[in-house]
């Protein structure tokens, strides 16, 4: 803490120290990054609103007011879509009709549903990051996981749910895991960079699942490339009646987050993995096997991404369609970074993304704001988190004593 | 044309690699013989049309009996494989690999066309057209990475270039659209440069940010404006120009010299970049910064300025490549229309060994498979088009795994430079 030594020797009061600590905390940067991202998103809405330009002729002041109003309305719609409309919920509970209540609180549970694949996929990418691997292939692993899951869930018949569900999930884990294992093994054996290999495996996965859905997996009673519906015994349990689709997968995801935490931080294996990620050279000199860690990490990472696919198939869609995922695997990169590659952080980031995504669907319907604004928000938030110096400069925060959580990856060539 | 260090390293071929390659050659010969030659009617004819659809002065069709041709190809491949196993081709191994693979695919086409006809010239032409955006993306990557900055944001830069080109092109004219697309690419590249050079953000993360941002902002603006007001999304396309004299060369002319200006620009860029990188002071400095920034700095080369310049030039290239989609190919912007081609361009760059000519070769290979899968659907070959479309990706992975040889990646690629 050379700064305090350099400064005047006067005694700081506790309030100032407290502010100092907040200013240095990485959490402050995260919160300010999210805040700035939302601010910029609002600005984008205002700038692209046609009413604003129409009002500019009258007076710029009026235009700014209309722009701010448009941004405000957007975020209100986002809130109502993701959490639920508060007045509607209160009215529903006063009315007491169970179906109206379910409808009113549905957005909240649907958001949790959206968060579930994000948790799995985010854990997948985060686990890779911890071992110094950049798994861009979560999307492909997710597809393969969904495909193997759907095979297990359709073609195994007559099993009780208590066995069928875990087997189907396991199928997804192994399928995705294999899809992660291949680039992991290629990296360990030949040095082929996992970023390129996982991107390639993504495309192969899309084609493969498309091929299967137009061939052997296609619903024999249908004409579109969609699989048959899965067996009832393989469906993940839902907690409420229609329209709420909230299912047990969310808690399975939380359980896996806890397991990943235990693995990474409470076991020798996890220590090895993290050491290989933080300093491969030191790990090598300590006798740890980089090859084994790389392959293991990519397998587990792929398996977690596969579970994201399995979860969608077993919990929400109950069948498999071409291009069903719409980018969970890619968003997962952003949220793993946002969660600082820590399971708890990932869960929080995933829940945030789930609420954002679900809210954005409503926002598109009611406020007419294209859903793609979510990507803009994600990108700006991510940029601020990846380059904390920008946030520190804007908000005049103090430099932290040590940048503990900076994510570093290795270049193309491996070590 | 490559540097002397590259030649030195290419000359050495390890015994394992020699044997593996020999087995690969023999394996391809056996496939030709066992799978293709066995499944052909002895009298069947293969007909290749030698002029792309709609071209003038058609060449006569090339017609021959299928079986002998496949047999010849199989025997030649087997002989090459045998020699490779016994003695080895040394530094010409990759050349031989190329030849054997080419013969294999020619045999495959011969077999697939047996009893029917295929427009060979049209296939090559379509492969070249499909290679254009991929190669432009790869060249963008070459520019950035030769100076030591990894650029996985090519996809995003191309997408933004495509959007800007369409929008500005519709509002003003097509040339301003092109300029705007280049500028948009450069702007994103500048962000990438600042994040990764000044703030030393991990370059892969910075690239990911730009990709997400580009997808979001172009889809957002497109949904908000372009779909509503169609006249904002009607930039027109650059016309086809026949190059005098060259376009009259039989077979090659219609394939290579009857395109719009993007294709010719691509030729020029490949030549210019090759000369620029390997025969000028600028190129030497850029490569030095990518290989060993500290040494370059000691010699008085401004590492930061060199990197900024290269990355921004790379962004211009990607923006130009993006404009191809809207101003050269489709004539309008559709959401997420680059569809991962920036990533394939990145793969083409790696496949092509961070080298402009190599990138073009890899781009052509990808383009060929893309074009082929479309043609095969017509020929009713018992290979699903989805499987055919997997092939370029598999080929990249195999190439990356070392069959083609270790890549000559810039040594300091991806590492921020800290001036002490």
């Amino acid at each position: 803490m050379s700064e305090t030594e350099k400064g005047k020797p006067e005694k700081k009061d506790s309030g100032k120290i407290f502010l100092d600590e907040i200013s240095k905390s990485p959490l402050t940067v995260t919160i300010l990054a999210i805040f700035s991202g939302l601010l910029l998103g609002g600005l984008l809405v205002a700038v692209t609103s046609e009413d604003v330009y129409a009002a500019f002729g009258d007076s710029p002041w009026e235009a700014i007011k209309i722009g701010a109003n448009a941004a405000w309305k957007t975020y209100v719609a986002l809130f109502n879509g993701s959490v639920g409309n508060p007045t509607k919920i209160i009215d529903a509970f006063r009315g007491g009709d169970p179906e109206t209540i379910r409808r009113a609180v549905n957005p909240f549970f649907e958001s949790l549903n959206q968060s579930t694949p994000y948790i799995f996929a985010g854990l997948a990418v985060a686990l890779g990051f911890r071992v110094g691997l950049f798994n861009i292939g979560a999307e492909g692993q997710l597809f393969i996981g969904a495909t193997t899951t759907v095979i297990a869930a359709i073609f195994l018949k007559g099993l009780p749910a208590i066995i069928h569900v875990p087997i189907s999930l396991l199928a997804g884990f192994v399928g995705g895991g294999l899809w992660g294992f291949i680039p992991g093994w290629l990296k360990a054996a030949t040095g082929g960079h996992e970023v390129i290999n996982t991107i390639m495996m993504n495309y192969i996965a899309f084609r493969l699942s498309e091929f299967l859905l137009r061939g052997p997996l296609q619903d024999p009673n249908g004409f579109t490339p969609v699989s048959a519906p899965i067996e009832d015994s393989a469906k993940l349990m839902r907690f409420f009646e229609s329209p709420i689709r909230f299912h047990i997968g969310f808690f399975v995801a939380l359980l896996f987050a806890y397991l990943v935490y235990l693995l990474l931080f409470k076991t020798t294996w996890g220590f090895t993995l993290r050491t290989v990620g933080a300093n491969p050279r030191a790990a090598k000199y300590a006798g740890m096997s980089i090859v084994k860690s790389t392959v293991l990490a990519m397998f587990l990472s792929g398996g977690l991404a596969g579970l994201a696919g399995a979860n969608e198939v077993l919990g929400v869609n109950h069948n498999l369609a071409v291009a069903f995922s719409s980018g969970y695997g890619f968003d997962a990169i952003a949220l793993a970074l946002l969660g600082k590659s820590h399971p708890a952080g990932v869960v929080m980031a995933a829940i945030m993304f789930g609420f954002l995504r679900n809210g954005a669907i409503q926002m598109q319907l009611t406020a007419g704001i294209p859903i793609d604004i979510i990507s803009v928000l994600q990108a700006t938030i991510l940029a601020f988190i990846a380059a904390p110096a920008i946030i520190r400069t804007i908000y005049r925060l103090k430099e932290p004593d040590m940048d503990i959580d900076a994510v570093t990856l290795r270049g193309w060539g491996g070590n | 044309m490559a540097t002397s260090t590259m030649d030195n390293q290419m000359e050495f071929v390890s015994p394992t690699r020699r044997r593996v390659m020999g087995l690969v050659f023999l394996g391809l010969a056996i496939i030709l013989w066992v799978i293709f030659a066995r499944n052909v009617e002895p009298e069947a004819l293969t007909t290749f049309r030698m002029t792309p659809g709609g071209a003038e002065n058609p060449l006569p069709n090339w017609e021959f009996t299928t079986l002998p041709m496949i047999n010849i190809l199989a025997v030649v491949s087997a002989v090459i494989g045998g020699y490779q196993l016994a003695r080895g081709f040394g530094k010409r191994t990759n050349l031989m690999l190329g030849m054997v693979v080419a013969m294999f695919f020619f045999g495959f086409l011969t077999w697939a066309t047996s009893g029917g006809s295929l427009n060979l010239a049209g296939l090559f032409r379509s492969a070249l057209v499909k290679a254009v955006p991929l190669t432009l993306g790869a060249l963008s990557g070459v520019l950035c990475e030769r100076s030591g900055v990894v650029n996985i944001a090519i996809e995003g830069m191309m997408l933004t270039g495509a959007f800007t080109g369409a929008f500005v092109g519709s509002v003003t004219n097509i040339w301003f659209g092109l300029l705007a697309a280049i500028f948009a690419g450069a702007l994103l590249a500048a962000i990438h440069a600042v994040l990764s050079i000044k703030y030393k953000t991990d370059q892969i993360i910075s690239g990911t940010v730009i990709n997400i941002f580009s997808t979001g902002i172009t889809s957002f603006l497109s949904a908000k404006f372009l779909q509503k007001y169609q006249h904002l999304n009607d930039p027109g396309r650059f016309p086809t120009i026949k190059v005098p004299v060259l376009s009259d060369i039989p077979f090659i002319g219609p394939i290579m010299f009857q395109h719009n200006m993007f294709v010719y620009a691509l030729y020029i860029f490949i030549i210019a970049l090759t000369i620029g990188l390997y025969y000028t002071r600028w190129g030497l400095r850029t490569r030095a910064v990518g290989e060993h920034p500290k040494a370059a700095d000691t010699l008085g080369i401004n590492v930061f300025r060199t990197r900024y310049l290269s990355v921004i030039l790379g962004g211009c290239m990607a923006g130009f490549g993006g404009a191809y989609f809207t101003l050269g190919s489709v004539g309008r912007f559709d959401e997420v229309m680059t569809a991962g081609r920036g990533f394939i361009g990145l793969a083409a760059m790696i496949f092509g060994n961070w080298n402009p000519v190599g990138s073009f070769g890899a781009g052509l290979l990808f383009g060929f498979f893309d074009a082929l899968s479309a043609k095969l659907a017509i020929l009713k070959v018992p290979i699903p088009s989805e499987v055919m479309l997997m092939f370029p990706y598999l080929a990249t992975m195999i190439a990356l795994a070392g069959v083609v040889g270790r890549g000559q990646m810039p040594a300091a690629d991806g590492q921020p430079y800290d001036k002490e």
Side-chain angles (χ1 to χ4, degrees), chain B residues 328-345:
Chain B
S329 173
V330 185
R332 54 171 286 125
F333 179 82
D334 298 312
E335 285 172 31
V336 210
M337 72 187 305
T338 46
R341 286 196 189 76
F343 286 120
I344 301 173

Side-chain angles (χ1 to χ4, degrees), chain B residues 149 192-200 304 307-308 311 417:
Chain B
V149 178
H192 183 52
V194 170
L195 280 175
S196 55
I197 299 171
K198 175 150 190 244
Y199 288 102
K200 299 185 175 57
F304 294 123
R307 286 193 169 172
Y308 273 112
V311 173
Y417 180 62

